[in-house]
């Protein structure tokens, strides 16, 4: 059997992508969008509203129900899941799920009650803090102090203490809810939670995603005893030892075999984070290729020959599922900021591209937007800081075309500025994510980075990466051979840079940098 299934549990949707390694075909690519299909969870964008904008949680039961809907949709669409030779997956990074009982104590799912009703009593915490949460500055400071300072923490984990990372989130839970903490037996990331659901067993966290917790010692590839202690008492017993991303962690549970027609004993390969998975899906698992991913979050990442850290302290080192490490910088104001502008000005995505390509010019006539519609990660802004600078009409919101260009120019300039530590002059740059098909957005990225930007044929690189990892783990395929089959660039959509824009964006980058520094100085809460 040559078919392999990749799942991607992202912030706003759950996707399945089925590949056939013999024919090189993508046989199915289907998503369940949470806001559309599961409105009862009151999470139109995949997370729950909270009066404190720094607190961003999701209901794990939403992901459980979405898995059922997704598999049901595949069967309805005629996809023969019995032909699937192996499954792997990816999840939004950093989100943590807390269980009062181990999945291993459950062992199997029953047909008596809906699956979400079987998972609900397992949870020791009703909601899961996700990567958009920025409420743990105090815990970050405590962990940093207990770990022997920021430099030491960066040396061990590849990142300084980061609000959204699972370690500080775990510490906050332990401090705020001691009784629930005491009841907690097992902690998962979204990735290992989804794998555990699928296997009805407790699946360990993989090394790719584990590196986003402020708990993993990158040198020894296991939890750091110092950081476990610095985070919460008894934590070691609640985490299984992390495993390489290529590990076979179980088989598809009997429940899914019976209900959706998987073959008995279909192997499940460790799930990883969406960005590490995307690195594989983009065919970028070897150093030398940079990827810009335009999703709910925007990220820029690349494989690294040896771990190297960001001197500004914003970037991270995660595990590369193909072995070694990857560098990454993450921006919370990705599609949420683009959508905010599109909605406010009533622009569809075609109009958005038109505004950029035909109605405005690089540099936007000096009109500039600080695109912080939600609290930002890079740089750290604890509150939204949406600021408009330029002509009277632009500032007053009477320039829709200029607004479209402004949000994308600022995002691209920020991506460039905060990714310099990863390595200069990547060319071409591969792009993925929903917005990577928008020619206006590609034009600005090419001009700002002064590099050719190329999307892939397949747009969900994270789910594709999961399918490729599933194939590699059971078939022993070569990563490069898989990439040449499935991660082909869509060269007809490539955009080359306009050299005349170089200087314009050097100036715009400096002006934006000043405005950004002012906002950071005003809003930054010292730890
Ligand atoms: C990466 C990050 C986000 C999430 C959501 O560090 O926080 O990209 O993985 O996709």
């Amino acid at each position: 059997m040559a078919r392999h299934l990749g799942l991607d549990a992202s912030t706003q949707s759950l996707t399945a992508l089925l590949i056939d390694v013999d024919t090189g075909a993508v046989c199915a690519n289907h998503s369940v969008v949470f806001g559309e299909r599961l409105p009862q969870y009151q999470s139109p964008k995949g997370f729950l509203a909270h009066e404190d904008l720094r607190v961003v949680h999701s209901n794990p039961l939403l992901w459980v129900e979405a898995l059922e809907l997704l598999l049901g949709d595949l069967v309805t669409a005629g996809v023969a899941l019995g032909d699937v030779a192996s499954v792997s997956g990816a999840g939004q990074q950093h989100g943590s799920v807390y269980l009062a009982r181990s999945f291993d104590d459950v062992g199997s799912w029953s047909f008596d009650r809906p699956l979400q009703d079987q998972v609900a009593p397992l949870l020791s915490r009703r909601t899961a803090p996700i990567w958009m949460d920025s409420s743990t500055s105090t815990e970050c400071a405590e962990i940093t102090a207990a770990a022997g300072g920021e430099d030491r923490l960066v040396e061990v984990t590849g990142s300084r203490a980061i609000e959204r990372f699972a370690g500080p989130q775990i510490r906050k839970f332990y401090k705020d809810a001691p009784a629930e903490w005491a009841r907690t037996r097992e902690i998962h990331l979204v990735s290992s939670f989804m794998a555990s659901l699928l296997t009805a067993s407790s699946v360990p966290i993989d090394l790719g995603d584990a590196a986003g917790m402020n708990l993993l010692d990158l040198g020894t590839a296991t939890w750091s005893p110092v950081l476990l202690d610095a985070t919460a008492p008894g934590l070691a017993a609640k985490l299984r030892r992390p495993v390489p991303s290529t590990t076979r962690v179980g088989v598809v549970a009997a429940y899914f075999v019976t209900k959706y027609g998987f073959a008995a004993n279909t192997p499940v390969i460790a799930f990883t984070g969406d960005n590490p998975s995307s690195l594989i899906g983009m065919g970028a698992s070897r150093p030398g290729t940079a990827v810009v991913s335009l999703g709910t979050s925007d990220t820029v990442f690349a494989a690294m020959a040896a771990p190297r850290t960001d001197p500004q302290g914003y970037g991270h080192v995660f595990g590369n599922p193909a072995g070694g490490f990857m560098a990454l910088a993450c921006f919370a104001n990705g599609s949420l900021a683009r959508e905010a502008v599109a909605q406010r000005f009533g622009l569809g995505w075609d109009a958005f591209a038109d505004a950029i390509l035909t109605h405005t010019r690089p540099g936007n006539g000096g009109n500039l937007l600080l695109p912080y519609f939600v609290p930002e990660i890079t740089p750290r802004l604890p509150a939204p800081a949406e600021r408009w600078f330029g002509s009277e009409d632009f500032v007053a919101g009477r320039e829709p075309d200029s607004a479209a260009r402004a949000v994308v120019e600022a995002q691209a300039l920020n991506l460039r500025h905060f990714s310099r530590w990863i390595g200069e002059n990547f060319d071409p740059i591969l792009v993925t994510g929903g917005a990577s098909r928008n020619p206006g957005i590609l034009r600005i990225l090419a001009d700002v980075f002064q590099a050719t930007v190329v999307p892939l044929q397949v747009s969900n690189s994270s789910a594709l990466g999961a399918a490729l990892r599933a194939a590699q783990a059971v078939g022993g395929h070569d990563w490069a051979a898989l990439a040449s089959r499935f991660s082909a660039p869509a060269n007809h959509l490539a955009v080359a840079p306009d050299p005349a824009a170089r200087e314009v964006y050097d100036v715009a980058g400096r002006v934006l940098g000043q405005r950004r520094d002012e906002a950071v100085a005003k809003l930054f809460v010292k730890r």
Side-chain angles (χ1 to χ4, degrees), residues 493-518:
L493 299 177
V495 176
D498 172 2
R502 179 190 294 272
E503 209 187 308
V504 176
Y505 283 127
D506 283 346
V507 174
R510 280 196 291 277
V511 178
L512 180 78
Q514 265 168 18
R515 300 291 193 195
R516 196 178 50 222
D517 290 350
E518 282 160 21

Side-chain angles (χ1 to χ4, degrees), residues 11 92-94 131 164 274-275 297 299 316 318 328 330:
T11 315
Q92 52 169 309
Q93 296 196 253
H94 318 299
W131 65 275
R164 70 189 189 285
D274 54 358
N275 293 295
S297 63
T299 55
H316 314 299
F318 294 151
L328 176 138
C330 175

Side-chain angles (χ1 to χ4, degrees), residues 274-449:
D274 54 358
N275 293 295
S277 192
S278 190
L279 187 79
I280 302 293
M282 297 299 287
S285 64
R286 312 251 313 253
T289 307
V291 177
V292 168
S293 170
L294 304 168
T296 305
S297 63
D298 285 348
T299 55
V300 50
F301 55 81
M304 293 168 122
R308 191 163 33 83
T309 50
D310 175 9
Q312 287 197 82
Y314 290 116
H316 314 299
V317 180
F318 294 151
N320 175 347
F325 302 96
M326 66 184 281
L328 176 138
C330 175
F331 304 80
N333 283 274
S335 71
L336 295 179
R338 288 184 287 275
E339 280 162 18
V341 170
Q343 249 167 36
R344 189 177 305 170
F345 292 90
L347 296 168
W349 294 117
D350 287 344
F352 209 84
D354 256 15
I356 292 168
L357 296 173
T358 2
H359 304 312
T360 55
R361 302 280 312 137
N364 214 9
N367 290 335
L368 182 142
L369 166 68
L370 280 190
Y372 301 123
F373 293 78
V374 293
E376 182 50 65
I377 290 168
T378 312
R380 210 138 46 84
L381 287 169
E386 171 206 339
R387 309 261 192 279
W388 301 73
F389 304 96
S391 74
E392 209 183 304
D393 279 345
F394 176 74
V395 173
R398 289 191 293 266
E399 293 271 6
D401 293 334
S402 211
R405 177 175 278 276
V407 66
V408 182
E409 282 192 343
Q411 290 177 321
L413 288 166
N414 283 334
L415 279 163
R416 184 180 74 171
H417 176 73
F418 289 106
S419 65
R420 285 220 167 94
W421 67 280
I422 296 176
E424 299 265 347
N425 304 331
F426 287 106
D427 192 2
I429 294 174
L430 302 178
V431 278
T432 181
S436 69
R437 289 300 164 112
N438 189 296
I441 295 176
L442 294 184
R443 160 56 52 213
I444 290 179
L445 282 173
D447 287 350
V448 167
F449 279 90

Side-chain angles (χ1 to χ4, degrees), residues 162-234:
I162 302 287
E163 278 78 355
R164 70 189 189 285
F165 278 27
Q169 294 291 343
I170 289 169
R171 179 162 181 80
K172 186 162 196 294
F173 180 51
Y174 144 72
K175 285 168 53 189
D176 291 354
E180 284 87 344
W181 172 255
R183 286 201 313 125
T184 300
R185 286 269 317 279
E186 199 163 281
I187 300 173
H188 285 279
L189 294 182
V190 177
S191 54
S192 65
F193 175 74
M194 295 307 286
S196 300
L197 271 183
L198 193 64
T199 57
S201 69
S202 169
V203 168
I205 293 168
D206 88 298
L207 289 169
D209 221 6
M213 297 176 79
N214 280 141
L215 288 171
L216 187 78
D217 182 329
L218 295 178
T220 61
T222 193
W223 308 123
S224 149
V226 173
L227 288 171
L228 289 171
D229 281 353
T231 302

Side-chain angles (χ1 to χ4, degrees), residues 82-150:
D83 292 346
V84 170
S86 63
V87 187
S88 188
Q92 52 169 309
Q93 296 196 253
H94 318 299
S96 45
V97 185
Y98 302 76
L99 300 183
R101 283 179 68 202
S102 165
F103 279 107
D104 279 345
D105 298 340
V106 180
S108 64
W109 303 120
S110 107
F111 285 95
D112 298 348
R113 289 172 297 152
L115 189 53
Q116 63 274 18
D117 293 355
Q118 300 174 58
V119 175
L122 303 182
L123 300 174
S124 59
R125 186 182 199 182
R126 242 176 20 84
T127 59
I130 65 160
W131 65 275
M132 294 175 72
D133 190 290
S134 55
S135 67
T136 63
S137 298
T138 306
E139 291 70 25
C140 285
E142 291 165 353
I143 290 172
T144 306
E150 196 149 86

